[in-house]
Amino acid sequence: MDLATIAGVAAGAAGAVALTPVLVSAAGFTAGGIAAGSVASWMMSAAAVANGGGVAAGGVVAVLQSVGAAGLSAAATAVVGTVGGAAGGAIADAMT
């Protein structure tokens, strides 16, 4: 692995971990709950309709709301960092 790929992995991992909470919040999953009129509210509505009126615990909406309210857990940080690092490394590799 060359220096550019290592830098790509590091940048991808750090960027993914830093930006995930920002993007989740921008989608409407906030510390105060789901923002009205947001992508999050649309997702919650669709999930509730699909589940007969409730949002399933452990489902996508619930997990994203948890991230919006409390941030990434240690396990989620590891997963997001790994995926970001892999993407960053692949992009750096493709550019060299």
Side-chain angles (χ1 to χ4, degrees):
M1 198 176 329
D2 65 359
L3 188 58
T5 302
I6 293 170
V9 169
V17 169
L19 289 177
T20 296
V22 173
L23 295 174
V24 168
S25 180
F29 296 98
T30 69
I34 291 181
S38 66
V39 171
S41 67
W42 174 84
M43 289 176 67
M44 183 177 179
S45 174
V49 169
N51 291 310
V55 175
V60 173
V61 172
V63 170
L64 289 173
Q65 181 53 42
S66 176
V67 170
L72 292 172
S73 67
T77 299
V79 170
V80 168
T82 299
V83 172
I91 291 168
D93 237 5
M95 294 177 66
T96 57

